[in-house]
Amino acid sequence: MTVRELVEQMERRWEELMTLRASPDMYGSESLDGQLSELELWLLRMHRLTAGTSAA
C-alpha cells in the first residue's frame, strides 16, 4: 500500500466518522470528537508529505 492509498483510505474513514457524528446518537461524543481530531491532524501531515513528494 502506498502513502497515497493510505491517505485515500483515511479520507474515506473521515467521511464515515463525519456521517456518524451527524447522527443523534453520537452528537457530542467525546470519543468520536477525539478520533476526528487525531485523524484530521494525521491527514494534514500526510497531505503535506504527499504534496512535498509530488513537487520534488
Side-chain angles (χ1 to χ4, degrees), residues 14-53:
W14 169 266
E15 291 171 9
E16 292 169 2
L17 289 173
M18 289 303 286
T19 300
L20 183 61
R21 184 181 190 205
S23 75
D25 293 338
M26 296 304 291
Y27 183 78
S29 168
E30 289 181 21
S31 174
L32 183 57
D33 288 345
Q35 289 180 45
L36 283 165
S37 294
E38 287 182 31
L39 186 53
E40 181 179 24
L41 289 174
W42 185 89
L43 283 169
L44 287 170
R45 288 183 195 122
M46 290 300 107
H47 281 291
R48 283 195 300 254
L49 177 66
T50 57
T53 57

